[in-house]
């Protein structure tokens, strides 16, 4: 036991891959089951004093994230236990020596996926001989490792089956060109770096000539500067590109994406160019500028949406000076002709109407709310006709209707259900029993032409 007055105990060293593996997947901590991908591994005779159990229950997908692993451990044991393992997650550990990582990987012959994210690999050098251990890996994740680009090149040269590479959060500002391409790579995630200059992005094309998906969100790319011919040759197989939250601020940059011959999926949200537009304008203008793209920001572009967007594009630019009209405008005018602006039609429900209120000899124009009920209207008319609500009978007279007055006798009915228009009329008839007795003219004789109340 450490004395309280003594110096602090030395920091605990990292653990080995085999220590963590034996603890996590021991029969005590991982009860025996059998299903596809789960095997019972019987360890061959090991040297005296080996810490390993006699048996471990290992799935083909091992997740050992955040376990403090810094070293491989006994390679013979790794080979005995992990021959069937296909996916390995070693993220958020303490691995900072490529030699130790290579010892783990070289003893897992069927390894297809390896995640080394958030291990401190910024200062360590990977020799080509050590990179050969990764030859069978097809998917490699190196996010937030600050691994150097030179190390990335060493890896890609020695990984003839590599298809997916993740290099996010590594603080890259430049990219080193490679003399040895990696033709098998199909997917590159390089989000959350600082690749502002297209001259750096340009180097990725020859390096990965088979690239189909490029994810470069949050990289502050300021513009796309190459010529149309250069862009066509740069990414000949690119089908999907993600430039969310880049610094693009010109429509010319968007139009250059059309030069990638196979591009069909574009994701472009949060860029300065689109900040001043409404959501409808953004999508319509983007669809119009990208005629070959079939998916925009994750949503399919239908033939109907494309036609509507292209027609919108023409009308949007109809008042622009000739010298400011984009090239795409002229292409679409050739297709649809010059279109006149659409008539603006307000389809919102009416909220108010001005009606004539007739009561005995009195006529007064009143503005009424159409979202209220008959009972609420009677309360509004009390000061107009000098009657309480329970002393009046209320009739609606549609000036366009020949059927005569309609009594408004359902107190909870909303006024908008009568389709009341400006200029229509309301007739208020006092109920019998009022202080002064009058003989009312039969309502059947009343219509929109005859509204004289009874004498």
């Amino acid at each position: 036991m450490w004395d309280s007055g003594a110096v602090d105990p030395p920091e605990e060293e990292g653990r080995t891959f085999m220590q963590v593996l034996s603890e996590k997947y021991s029969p005590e901590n991982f009860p025996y089951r059998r299903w596809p991908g789960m095997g019972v591994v019987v360890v061959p005779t090991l040297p005296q004093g080996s810490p390993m159990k006699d048996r471990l229950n290992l799935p083909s997908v091992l997740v050992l994230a955040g376990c403090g692993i810094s070293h491989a451990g006994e390679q013979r044991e790794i080979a005995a236990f992990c021959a069937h393992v296909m996916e390995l997650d070693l993220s958020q550990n303490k691995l900072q020596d490529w030699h130790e990582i290579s010892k783990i990987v070289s003893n897992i012959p069927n390894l297809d996926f390896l995640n080394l994210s958030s291990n401190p690999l910024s200062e360590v050098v990977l020799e080509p001989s050590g990179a050969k251990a990764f030859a069978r890996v097809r998917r490699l994740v190196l996010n937030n490792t600050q691994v150097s680009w030179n190390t990335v090149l060493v890896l890609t040269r020695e990984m003839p089956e590599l298809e997916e590479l993740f290099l996010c959060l590594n603080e890259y500002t430049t990219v080193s060109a490679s003399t040895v391409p990696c033709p098998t790579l199909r997917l590159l995630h390089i989000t959350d770096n600082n690749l502002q200059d297209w001259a750096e992005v340009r180097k990725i094309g020859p390096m990965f000539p088979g690239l189909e998906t490029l994810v470069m969100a949050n990289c502050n790319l300021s513009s796309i500067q190459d010529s149309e011919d250069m862009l066509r040759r740069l990414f000949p197989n690119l089908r999907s590109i993600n430039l969310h939250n880049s610094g693009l601020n010109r429509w010319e940059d968007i139009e250059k994406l059309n030069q990638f011959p196979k591009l069909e999926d574009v994701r472009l949200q949060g860029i300065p160019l689109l900040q001043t537009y409404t959501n409808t304008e953004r999508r319509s203008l983007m669809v119009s500028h990208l005629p070959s793209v079939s998916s925009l920001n994750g949503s399919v572009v239908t033939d109907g949406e494309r036609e509507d967007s292209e027609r919108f594009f023409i009308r949007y630019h109809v008042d622009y000076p000739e010298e400011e009209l984009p090239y795409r405008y002229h292409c679409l005018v050739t297709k649809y002709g010059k279109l006149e602006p659409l008539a603006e039609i307000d389809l919102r429900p009416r909220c108010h109407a001005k009606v004539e209120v007739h009561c005995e000899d009195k006529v007064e124009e009143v503005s009424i709310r159409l979202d209220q009920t008959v009972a609420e209207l009677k309360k509004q008319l009390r000061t107009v006709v000098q009657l309480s609500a329970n002393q009046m009978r209320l009739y609606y007279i549609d000036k366009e209707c020949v059927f005569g007055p309609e009594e408004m006798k359902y107190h909870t009915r909303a006024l908008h259900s009568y389709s009341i228009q400006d200029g229509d009329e309301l007739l208020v008839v006092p109920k019998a029993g009022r202080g002064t007795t009058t003989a009312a003219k039969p309502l059947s004789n009343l219509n929109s032409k005859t509204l004289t109340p009874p004498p």
Side-chain angles (χ1 to χ4, degrees), residues 4 48 72 108 126 156 172 202 205 221 223 244 258 278 304-305 324 332 345 352-353 375 416 419 425 445:
S4 59
Q48 185 68 28
I108 308 179
L126 173 62
T156 56
Y172 297 131
R202 180 190 299 127
L221 179 67
S223 65
H244 281 341
N258 292 315
T278 66
E305 181 188 15
E324 295 183 16
L332 294 177
I345 301 175
H352 295 81
H416 62 74
S419 300
E425 295 154 341
N445 295 332

Side-chain angles (χ1 to χ4, degrees), residues 186-188 190-191 198 201 211-217 221 224 231 235 237-244 246 248 253-254 256-258 260 262-269 286 290 293 295-298:
R186 299 289 179 263
L187 169 67
L188 177 62
I190 197 165
T191 294
W198 180 256
V201 180
L211 194 66
E212 296 179 358
T213 301
L214 176 60
V215 183
M216 279 189 56
L221 179 67
I224 300 174
L231 291 172
F235 291 102
N237 294 295
L238 193 67
R239 296 183 179 277
S240 176
I241 191 169
N242 184 331
L243 295 172
H244 281 341
S246 62
L248 300 179
D253 293 320
I254 308 304
K256 285 185 177 182
L257 297 176
N258 292 315
F260 300 140
K262 295 185 179 180
L263 189 66
E264 58 189 19
D265 176 35
V266 171
R267 294 171 186 258
L268 262 175
Q269 292 181 321
M286 287 285 289
L290 299 169
V293 169
S295 177
L296 178 62
N297 295 329

Side-chain angles (χ1 to χ4, degrees), residues 77-114:
E77 295 176 349
I78 298 174
F81 280 97
C82 300
H84 67 296
V85 171
M86 300 181 67
E87 299 188 12
L88 177 59
D89 183 353
L90 292 174
S91 60
Q92 301 179 46
N93 279 291
K94 299 179 180 180
L95 292 163
Q96 51 187 339
D97 186 338
W98 280 109
H99 180 62
E100 293 297 318
I101 298 172
S102 297
K103 286 196 290 186
I104 297 172
V105 175
S106 62
N107 286 286
I108 308 179
N110 292 304
L111 191 63
D112 176 271
F113 170 85
L114 176 63

Side-chain angles (χ1 to χ4, degrees), residues 6 18 24 91 98 106 144 146 148 157 160 195 203 216 219 251 256 286 294 321 326 339 371 385 436 439:
M18 285 310 304
K24 180 169 183 178
S91 60
W98 280 109
S106 62
N144 194 33
Q146 279 69 55
S148 71
R157 288 169 190 154
L195 298 172
K203 301 172 188 176
M216 279 189 56
C219 280
W251 284 112
K256 285 185 177 182
M286 287 285 289
S294 58
L339 305 177
D371 61 347
V385 299
T436 60

Side-chain angles (χ1 to χ4, degrees), residues 393-409:
R393 294 176 67 184
L394 185 60
Y395 298 84
Y396 165 57
I397 302 175
D398 183 349
K399 62 181 180 180
E400 302 294 336
C401 180
V402 297
F403 296 110
E406 177 183 358
E407 184 171 3
M408 305 171 75
K409 57 185 176 180

Side-chain angles (χ1 to χ4, degrees), residues 20-31:
V20 172
L21 193 68
S22 64
E23 291 174 8
K24 180 169 183 178
Y25 294 101
S26 69
E28 292 83 0
N29 296 331
F30 197 91

